[in-house]
Amino acid sequence: VREMIQLIMQKMAMRFREDDISYQRLVTHLHFALSRVSHYEMHELDQEMLSMIQKKFADSYQCTKEVTDIIQNKYDIYFPESELGYITIHLNRLKQ
């Protein structure tokens, strides 16, 4: 999770306040996302909703995709598209 947060900060060229509730939500979600993918427990996200997230928050989605691709290549951890959507929502909230 720490590595993912560092990658996100680098790619978004941002610093996050650790006491920010949006930061804490992102960290918590990443913990649970990693747990879900390691136990093959997938949360589904409606395809229309995912498509809207990808379009509306395109820069956050791109960052999420790049970070999860790095993690996948480095640790062989695969994140399904629905998980990318949820991470994108948390990341976009943090940007605001």
Side-chain angles (χ1 to χ4, degrees), residues 3-81:
E3 186 173 350
M4 291 179 78
I5 293 293
Q6 289 173 342
L7 289 168
I8 290 168
M9 286 192 305
Q10 289 171 357
K11 296 203 172 293
M12 299 297 287
M14 295 175 64
R15 287 276 169 226
F16 305 130
R17 289 188 9 244
E18 291 184 17
D19 63 342
D20 185 319
I21 189 71
S22 294
Y23 173 83
Q24 293 170 3
R25 285 180 177 164
L26 174 63
V27 169
T28 299
H29 184 85
L30 292 175
H31 277 288
F32 283 112
L34 286 168
S35 177
R36 279 192 295 277
V37 297
S38 68
H39 292 100
Y40 304 102
E41 299 171 4
M42 304 302 162
H43 283 169
E44 290 302 314
L45 183 62
D46 178 87
Q47 196 58 40
E48 278 185 64
M49 180 69 78
L50 179 59
S51 180
M52 188 271 307
I53 290 167
Q54 292 169 333
K55 290 175 187 163
K56 186 169 183 173
F57 308 129
D59 57 335
S60 294
Y61 178 79
Q62 183 62 36
C63 177
T64 299
K65 182 74 174 133
E66 290 174 12
V67 168
T68 55
D69 285 348
I70 290 168
I71 297 301
Q72 182 176 351
N73 291 331
K74 189 171 182 179
Y75 299 106
D76 200 30
I77 298 172
Y78 171 76
F79 290 86
E81 282 294 316

